[in-house]
Amino acid sequence: MRRLLLVRHASTSATRAGAFPLDEPLDEHGQAEAARLPAVLFEGCEVVCSPALRCRQTAAAVGLTIRLEPEVAECDFGSWGGATLAAVDPAQARAWMTDPDAAPHGGETLRGFAARIARWLDAGGESATVITHGGVVRAAVVHALGAPLDAFWKIAVGPLSVTELACDDGAWTLRRLGV
């Protein structure tokens, strides 16, 4: 059985501002919180990490040895990087959130992003702890449950939350969400 613990990175200034991320570092609070991650999460398995600075710093805060994995990077938000949702044209934001094939920001569509995460999940591999992003966790849960893509927007994933997925003979099970 393959088991994945998906850990969302600690907080950044963009997280706190409700902004689309750039490659920003953890904020002071995020650094302190990341240092308190329980080591038991990482026992006996590889630690896979998004290449984003905030994910690498989350892993470094507890001294983890990581393998960088570009496939677990956050969605490419294109020209919206660094902007708050309130600063984005409301019609464009609505289009992006209601049409999984829209990319008014010039980055990835939700469908393309979710497909990337699904391919990574289904490619197999060993059990691992994955330091990643809220969007990646949402996309993984949607895929694991076979849920429609609009369920993506209904899943809350806070900083440093842990979601557990298990795969047995190609069938995914959600074991815990955002604990």
Side-chain angles (χ1 to χ4, degrees):
M1 176 181 295
R2 180 179 182 210
R3 190 174 141 219
L4 296 176
L5 293 178
L6 305 172
V7 180
R8 184 181 176 195
H9 62 79
S11 64
T12 68
S13 59
T15 306
R16 292 192 185 287
F20 293 96
L22 293 169
D23 197 20
E24 71 278 349
L26 298 180
D27 61 18
E28 190 174 314
H29 179 75
Q31 281 282 2
E33 290 298 306
R36 290 194 274 276
L37 271 172
V40 70
L41 290 177
F42 313 104
E43 283 183 7
C45 65
E46 178 179 37
V47 179
V48 174
C49 187
S50 162
L53 178 60
R54 59 197 176 275
C55 294
R56 290 182 286 125
Q57 286 182 331
T58 298
V62 286
L64 297 174
T65 300
I66 60 171
R67 178 177 62 82
L68 293 180
E69 176 53 68
E71 292 301 304
V72 298
E74 180 62 283
C75 182
D76 175 358
F77 297 113
S79 64
W80 292 354
T84 63
L85 188 56
V88 172
D89 176 86
Q92 288 184 346
R94 191 170 29 264
W96 181 64
M97 294 180 79
T98 59
D99 178 357
D101 296 311
H105 46 57
E108 280 180 291
T109 66
L110 180 58
R111 189 179 313 281
F113 171 63
R116 171 168 52 92
I117 301 308
R119 280 191 305 274
W120 174 77
L121 281 171
D122 292 343
E126 300 298 316
S127 293
T129 295
V130 184
I131 311 293
T132 190
H133 309 273
V136 172
V137 175
R138 287 182 193 96
V141 168
V142 166
H143 180 67
L145 297 176
L149 200 47
D150 63 350
F152 178 92
W153 302 110
K154 298 174 183 175
I155 301 168
V157 183
L160 295 176
S161 63
V162 178
T163 297
E164 182 179 356
L165 299 176
C167 185
D168 194 14
D169 290 330
W172 286 100
T173 303
L174 175 63
R175 299 181 101 181
R176 64 178 149 154
L177 177 63
V179 177

